[in-house]
Amino acid sequence: MGAYVTRRASIADFNKIAPLFDAYRQFYEQEPDLEFAQQFISARLNNNESIIFIAEDETQNALGFCQIYPSFCSVIGAPIYVLYDLFVSPIARKSGLGKMLLEAAHEHAEANNIPRMDLTTAKTNLTAQSLYESLGWTRDKIFYAYNKSV
């Protein structure tokens, strides 16, 4: 594979991102559902509810994406970004695309005066943990994460 580029996605990219998003969800043991993925990504972009970075090869073939959601932190009294999704196609893994996508998100946060980004990952996802830590992300040793289905 040749050169890669990362860039902020626009609504015109939703059909490129949707198959990657569907594969990401399958990685987390969800049933394949490309139609749902298309609707979800389209809605996030149309409603300006998330910021998505896309990684492409020299032929503009989408190979990965990173999605961040704007939020707030009451403790520091500032807006933050929640990095919720990071996925690189299996054919492009170990190519540096994950790092490039994380750096694009970081640069965007820095350019927009966002003081912090948060993320969670599966305890078993050691590859991702290694990447995050290599880029300066620190594992929280004080707080537990909880969720509740409604």
Side-chain angles (χ1 to χ4, degrees), residues 48-144:
N48 291 316
E49 294 171 334
S50 74
I51 299 158
I52 302 176
F53 296 94
I54 187 171
E56 298 171 311
D57 64 15
E58 66 277 355
T59 62
Q60 297 182 327
N61 181 37
L63 297 170
F65 79 100
C66 172
Q67 182 163 217
I68 55 179
Y69 293 95
S71 188
F72 293 93
C73 176
S74 301
V75 175
I76 65 172
I80 64 169
Y81 285 154
V82 177
L83 193 151
Y84 208 91
D85 310 323
L86 174 66
F87 183 79
V88 174
S89 175
I91 64 167
R93 296 212 176 125
K94 299 188 187 233
S95 67
L97 281 183
K99 179 180 178 184
M100 289 174 65
L101 288 161
L102 289 168
E103 288 173 340
H106 177 90
E107 290 168 9
H108 181 80
E110 194 171 52
N112 287 280
N113 298 312
I114 302 298
R116 190 178 88 202
M117 292 194 305
D118 291 347
L119 68 80
T120 58
T121 191
K123 291 179 182 180
T124 57
N125 195 347
L126 301 178
T127 301
Q129 292 168 35
S130 177
L131 174 60
Y132 301 142
E133 291 171 13
S134 77
L135 294 174
W137 292 77
T138 56
R139 185 181 310 190
D140 192 307
K141 293 182 169 90
I142 299 170
F143 295 97
Y144 288 114

